[in-house]
Amino acid sequence: MRSIFLETHNINNLYSGFGQFNFNLAKALSEETEFLNKHDIILNCSNNLAKKQLGKNLSYNKYWQVTRYPLFRVKKKVDLWHSVNQNTKIEPYLDDTPYLLTVHDVNFMEEEEGDHLDFRINQFKNKIERSAALVYISEYAKKSTHEHFKVPDIPEYVIYNGNTLINSTSKFVDEKCSNPIPARPFIFSIGQVVEKKNFHTLIDMLKFLPDIDLVIAGEMKSEYAEFLTEKVKELQLEERVLLVGSITESDKIFYYKNCLAFGFPSLREGFGLPVLEAMTFGKPVFLSTKTSLPEIGGEMSFYWEHFDPEYMAHVFEKRMEAFNKDKDTFKMAYKNHSKQFTWQNAAKQYIEVYKSILDSTS
């Protein structure tokens, strides 16, 4: 039986984007019984609750923080090592271990500087140079990697993330939201509350949409979160803008199901999962034209080409008018689009990549 080691220590934090990616990919892989009859998939994971949910079809290696350091790297001999996130410091001790890397984005090229940027560049170069193949989570992630780095002549694949809410449209029907609920129709947005998410443009836009409220969800512990709070006060929008912080899955679904529209003016996205989540509920989505968002949003989404607040409000009103004139067509298109992205499909595609590398190294 051949062994595949997945570096998935981020499962320890299921509230993070990487944690959710690692968990959902592992869960889908755990259901591929035909492949697992002949292969041992080993997760680097010490989250007992997650292990219980993932089940016994997978094997587990206890994650130790010290394995980030070269002297204490994982010494387990395996047939393939899959580095599921491109920024992990955890590597195999044996240099000749066949290696697969999943690239989510190279946004650090625009977000970092100085010594920290140099470290990230060298770390990423080392990873791609030792890789037998590369997987990107979007065509944009592949394109931007080639723009910034010399990629070796190795197989490259694009495997899209899955939409975990595909079967959730009827869930939590009777649940009440534990967070504040706007009194009027509202735009919903969610994500890590950092500058690249560009949430403040939604707040500015609200000045020109007097009958609409706004809900932004995400952990409010950054300098940018403080900036948003001050902006709301400055514009005297405390009763119209709800910064609700981190929310439960049921509250997230409540906001998706009850919002007027979903707004996501992000400047940098490797994928953009909230776009698909909103589409699951047939909601109109308003996106920036930046990075991967047009690729994931598709033709039926509505786009802001720049962020002048009056222009954004004008686009919103005009596109909502178009949506309301043919609501059934738009809703069906959104729901069908979101269903194309499943973790089951992603797992099957990863398995084909695993087989290809294992066959070439046997």
Side-chain angles (χ1 to χ4, degrees), residues 279 283-285 300 302 330-338:
M279 286 183 174
K283 297 298 179 176
V285 292
M300 297 298 281
F302 304 126
F330 275 102
K331 283 187 173 183
M332 184 62 67
Y334 287 138
K335 290 178 181 180
N336 288 339
H337 183 73
S338 72

Side-chain angles (χ1 to χ4, degrees), residues 15 28 55 58 77 100 117 139 187 193 234 237 239 242-243 258 320 323 353 358:
Y15 291 100
L58 305 175
K77 184 170 178 57
L100 172 66
L117 176 59
E139 292 289 351
I187 299 167
V193 183
E234 175 190 329
L237 294 173
E239 293 185 3
L242 302 180
L243 304 174
N258 291 281
M320 283 303 301
F323 174 83
V353 177
L358 291 170

